[in-house]
Amino acid sequence: MRQNFKGITLFYLTMLLVLLACPWNKAAAADSYKSLDLYYPTDIDDHWAYDTLDNFVNADLLNGYPLSTGEVALKPNHPITRAEFVSILVQSAGLHSTAQGKAFNDVNAGKWYADAVRIASSLGVVGGISSTEFGPDLPITRGDIAVMVVRTFSSSIQFEGSAKTFKDVPNYYAASAIAKASQTGIVSGMTTTTFQPFAKATRAQSVVMLERALRLEQTQLPDTTELITLASNATEQEITAMSEHSYDQVSDIYATYYTGYQLSFNLTSLDDLTSALDEQTQLDIEWISKPVFSIVERSNQYAVLEANGGKIKTSINAGKDLNEETISLDGLYRLKKMDDNTWKIYAVLPYEG
């Protein structure tokens, strides 16, 4: 089951809210940043692709469908349209182009997917279902996804190894891309001998293929020291500002270092915390030990860091009641490359216990 919170830097704030008997309002200040409900799809618990789906949601790469309750459903087993997949592909791979691209009669300017189709077509990633139509609302097939993925990463991934032989892949335009994608494990098949190239790809299948490709990009790796410095600065500046009760400064720190889920979580928790504090309630925070960061994984667009050894002491003095907690900051930090080539943290995952 999904945890009720995912932050390390804000993990202790959630603990403090419990001590203060203040309810955690996930929808707080939704007008100024994305509501946390949008990061908690109701239908992916126990799904085989949960980790990948959750990761893409946290990074603002995959959106859910709104429900009447204000929550969202991700519909992981539903087909994904050509427009949806191309939009996720362009955003997750950080594709950019100023070229005009192909003109499709069924892609109108101003549509939410129009710019992604322009970028992808100008780079030769997509062609269309005909010379004049893109088919944005049609379900995309597994074979077409393999083609788009191989075209996208042809210069950033070395397609080496033995290709799998799928007995149901005919000699058609996607056959070579399916074979290439199987060389690197981007695709594995529906069974050991079948790929089902003409089957409608599900939303879960599409993001899993994409994540596998993204993790293989090793041609323009971020500098290790730069990533570690970023995570260290984010954590140390936040806790220093909190210890000085400079809460306005804390929100600026969040905007500088965080994005996606973690930014919304941090700002929501900060709003709840400052609302809970009053003249008779004093919050004090002090370092016990600062975390040491190390690289777990990195690729061209994404990275994972591990924090170890960090601890803080929090004290809440509310009249006659004094509550003290020692809180570990150990866990994983997930980062992504932004459009301006800077890096930001989009999810912080505390270790349990």
Side-chain angles (χ1 to χ4, degrees), residues 66-252:
L67 303 174
S68 59
T69 59
E71 298 174 308
V72 296
L74 211 56
K75 300 182 181 180
N77 299 323
H78 283 222
I80 184 169
T81 68
R82 289 170 56 82
E84 288 171 335
F85 179 75
V86 169
S87 296
I88 297 170
L89 172 63
V90 167
Q91 187 178 5
S92 64
L95 301 183
H96 298 92
S97 174
T98 57
Q100 184 173 355
K102 291 191 175 182
F104 296 110
N105 294 337
D106 54 357
V107 178
N108 298 323
K111 286 287 189 179
W112 59 268
Y113 52 80
D115 198 49
V117 173
R118 176 193 62 78
I119 292 171
S121 65
S122 70
L123 296 175
V125 172
V126 299
I129 59 174
S130 73
S131 60
T132 58
E133 294 184 315
F134 178 72
D137 298 322
L138 295 177
I140 193 169
T141 66
R142 290 170 49 81
D144 284 346
I145 284 184
V147 170
M148 294 181 192
V149 168
V150 169
R151 287 175 178 171
T152 298
F153 299 101
S154 60
S155 62
S156 59
I157 293 177
Q158 293 186 351
F159 292 92
E160 300 176 335
S162 300
K164 290 193 173 184
T165 300
F166 298 112
K167 64 183 182 181
D168 62 343
V169 176
N171 184 20
Y172 82 125
Y173 92 102
S176 62
I178 294 170
K180 271 192 171 185
S182 72
Q183 285 180 287
T184 58
I186 293 173
V187 302
S188 55
M190 296 300 289
T191 70
T192 56
T193 59
T194 63
F195 181 73
Q196 297 183 16
F198 303 110
K200 298 174 184 177
T202 68
R203 287 164 61 80
Q205 290 170 352
S206 66
V207 297
V208 166
M209 290 186 221
L210 265 181
E211 186 181 62
R212 289 171 180 168
L214 291 165
R215 295 176 71 174
L216 290 172
E217 281 196 297
Q218 301 288 307
T219 54
Q220 297 178 358
L221 295 177
D223 181 72
T224 297
T225 302
E226 177 186 350
L227 296 181
I228 290 175
T229 299
L230 184 151
S232 297
N233 288 346
T235 305
E236 292 179 20
Q237 289 179 25
E238 173 190 7
I239 293 176
T240 298
M242 290 291 297
S243 67
E244 296 172 351
H245 308 139
S246 301
Y247 301 121
D248 290 341
Q249 184 180 348
V250 174
S251 61
D252 292 335

Side-chain angles (χ1 to χ4, degrees), residues 279-295:
E279 293 180 356
Q280 282 143 16
T281 304
Q282 179 70 37
L283 165 64
D284 293 305
I285 298 175
E286 61 181 278
W287 282 108
I288 296 176
S289 58
K290 294 182 179 180
V292 175
F293 289 91
S294 59
I295 292 286

